[in-house]
Amino acid sequence: MTSPWTAPGSEGGRADEAPPTTAPMSPWADPVADSDRAAGAPAGPAASERAQRRELVARAPLFPLRPLGLGEILGAATGLYRLRPRRMLVVSAVVFAIATVIITLLSGISLVPMVGSLQATMEQASTSTGAEVDLGTTPAEAIAVLAGTLATSLISVIAVQVVTAAMAPLALAEATGRPLSTSGMWASARRHGPRAALLGLIIVLASALLVGILIALGTLPLVLTGGENLWLLLPLGLAVLLSILGVLWLMARTTLATPALVLEDLGPVAALRRSFALTRGRRLWRVLGITLLLMLMAYVAMQMVAGVVSMVATIVYIAILVATQFQQLMLAVGVMLVLSMLGSFIASTLVQPFVSAGTTVLYADERMRQEAWDVELNRASRERRDEDLSALAAGIR
C-alpha cells in the first residue's frame, strides 16, 4: 500500500511518510507580509517601501486606549507637536491672529482718551512752571479702560474655545488611528465653535458672578459701619479666600465641558451637566490637580515666550520717548502695545494647543475610567487598522 501523497518531483513516496503540516499562524503575524511571501514578492527597494507603509499603519497611537497616568496625559498633550505640528499650529495661528487684531484695536481705542490726556498734561507741564499738574484719571477714562479690558478678555475666551473645538477631534483621531485633516479641523471649529464660545462665556459669567457676590458680602460690614473697626476687614479677607476656592471648584467641575460638547455633540448646558457628572465626588480632586498642572506649565511657557517680546517692546518704548524728548507718548504707547500683542499672539499660538489636547486626553481618561470607553475606542481602532491593512494588501497585489 502506498501513500496518496508524494513529494514534488519524485515518482513515489514511502508508505510511512506523513503529509506536510502547516504551522498555526501566530496572532502577531503580519497579514500583508504573509501575502507578500505567498505571492513571491521580490525583496529589495519595493519590499522596503512596503515595510515602511506597514510601519506607518501600525504607528503607536497618541495615547494608550486604557486608563492613563499623569505622565501619559502630559505626553499625549505634547505628542501632537510631534505628530501633527503643521495643521495644529496653522489652525491655532489663524484663530489667534484674528483675535489678536481685534484685541489690539480695542485696547488701542480704550487707551486713547487716557494717553491723550496724559500727553496734554505732560505738554502743559513742560511749557508752564510752578503750575499744578493733575495726573489723575477721569471716570470716563477709567470706564473706557475697564470696558476695553473686559472686551479683550471675552475675545480671548472665545479664541481659546474655538481652538479647543478644533483640537479635541484631532487628539481623539490620533489615538484611534483615524487621522484628521486640516479641513476636518476647520469643519469641527465651524460646527462646534459657536456653541463652545457660548459655553466659555457662560463659565466666565458664572465665575464673575460668584466672585462678585462673595466680595459684595465681604465688604458689606465695612460699608454699613463706615470702616471704623479694622476687625471688619476679616470678612473681606474671608470673602477673597472663598472667591479663590470657588473659582477653582468651578474650573474643575467645568474643565471637561468643552471636550464633551465637541466629541459628544452636545449643547452648552448639556455639556456642563456632562462635565459635572464626570467630576463628581472624589474624581474632582484628580481633575483639579491635573488641570492646575496643565495651566501652570502653559503659563510658564507663555511667559517665557511673551516675556522676551515684552522686554523688546519696553526697550523700544523707552527709546522712542528718549529720542523724541517725551513728545511722542502716543506713538511710543502704540508701538509698545503692538509689540506686546505680537508676543501674546506667538505665545498663545504655540501653547494653547497643549492645554486643549491635555484637557481632551483628561476627558478621555475619565470616560475610560468611569464608563469603559476604552472598549469602544479599541474597537474603532482595530476596525481602522484592519481597513488600512486590507487596503495595503489589495494595493500590493
Side-chain angles (χ1 to χ4, degrees), residues 86-392:
R86 182 176 179 180
R87 66 187 62 174
M88 177 185 68
L89 293 178
V90 164
V91 173
S92 180
V94 171
V95 173
F96 281 111
I98 297 173
T100 301
V101 170
I102 299 174
I103 289 174
T104 303
L105 293 175
L106 291 177
S107 299
I109 293 173
S110 65
L111 289 175
V112 164
M114 186 177 65
V115 175
S117 176
L118 183 58
Q119 178 74 45
T121 301
M122 293 178 64
E123 292 176 355
Q124 178 186 356
S126 62
T127 56
S128 60
T129 58
E132 184 176 348
V133 179
D134 183 14
L135 296 179
T137 302
T138 64
E141 294 170 354
I143 292 175
V145 173
L146 181 61
T149 303
L150 178 61
T152 56
S153 299
L154 294 180
I155 292 172
S156 299
V157 170
I158 293 174
V160 167
Q161 291 294 98
V162 172
V163 170
T164 304
M167 297 298 163
L170 176 65
L172 187 63
E174 290 297 325
T176 56
R178 299 176 179 269
L180 188 68
S181 63
T182 305
S183 60
M185 295 177 65
W186 283 121
S188 177
R190 288 193 301 268
R191 179 178 180 181
H192 305 292
R195 283 178 290 153
L198 179 59
L199 172 64
L201 295 178
I202 292 174
I203 295 174
V204 170
L205 180 60
S207 300
L209 189 61
L210 175 63
V211 172
I213 292 175
L214 291 176
I215 296 298
L217 292 176
T219 56
L220 186 59
L222 289 173
V223 174
L224 294 178
T225 61
E228 297 178 355
N229 192 342
L230 293 180
W231 289 103
L232 295 176
L233 291 175
L234 290 178
L236 180 59
L238 180 61
V240 172
L241 178 61
L242 291 178
S243 298
I244 296 174
L245 296 177
V247 169
L248 291 176
W249 176 85
L250 188 61
M251 179 188 68
R253 297 305 302 268
T254 60
T255 190
L256 304 181
T258 305
L261 181 145
V262 176
L263 300 179
E264 300 183 40
D265 198 15
L266 303 175
V269 177
L272 286 173
R273 286 199 298 263
R274 186 77 170 107
S275 182
F276 270 72
L278 290 172
T279 57
R280 64 173 175 261
R282 297 177 61 183
R283 308 164 188 164
L284 170 69
W285 303 109
R286 184 173 185 272
V287 173
L288 176 61
I290 295 177
T291 301
L292 288 177
L293 181 59
L294 288 172
M295 295 181 65
L296 177 61
M297 295 174 65
Y299 175 79
V300 172
M302 291 184 70
Q303 291 304 311
M304 292 176 61
V305 176
V308 175
V309 182
S310 297
M311 183 175 61
V312 174
T314 303
I315 295 174
V316 173
Y317 168 77
I318 296 174
I320 293 176
L321 290 180
V322 172
T324 61
Q325 297 181 351
F326 294 86
Q327 298 301 314
Q328 296 295 331
L329 180 61
M330 187 76 72
L331 175 62
V333 171
V335 172
M336 185 176 67
L337 176 63
V338 171
L339 291 178
S340 298
M341 289 301 175
L342 177 62
S344 177
F345 160 72
I346 296 174
S348 300
T349 298
L350 294 177
V351 177
Q352 183 55 44
F354 167 79
V355 181
S356 300
T359 304
T360 301
V361 177
L362 179 59
Y363 160 82
D365 174 60
E366 289 301 318
R367 286 198 61 184
M368 288 188 290
R369 289 175 181 273
Q370 302 176 32
E371 304 172 353
W373 197 33
D374 50 327
V375 176
E376 180 181 345
L377 294 179
N378 275 296
R379 183 185 302 113
S381 179
R382 283 195 301 270
E383 292 175 355
R384 176 64 178 180
R385 186 166 58 249
D386 292 343
E387 292 173 2
D388 290 342
L389 291 174
S390 300
L392 283 175

Side-chain angles (χ1 to χ4, degrees), residues 14-32:
R14 291 172 49 190
D16 57 347
E17 280 187 76
T21 58
T22 302
M25 178 176 291
S26 169
W28 304 102
D30 188 341
V32 180

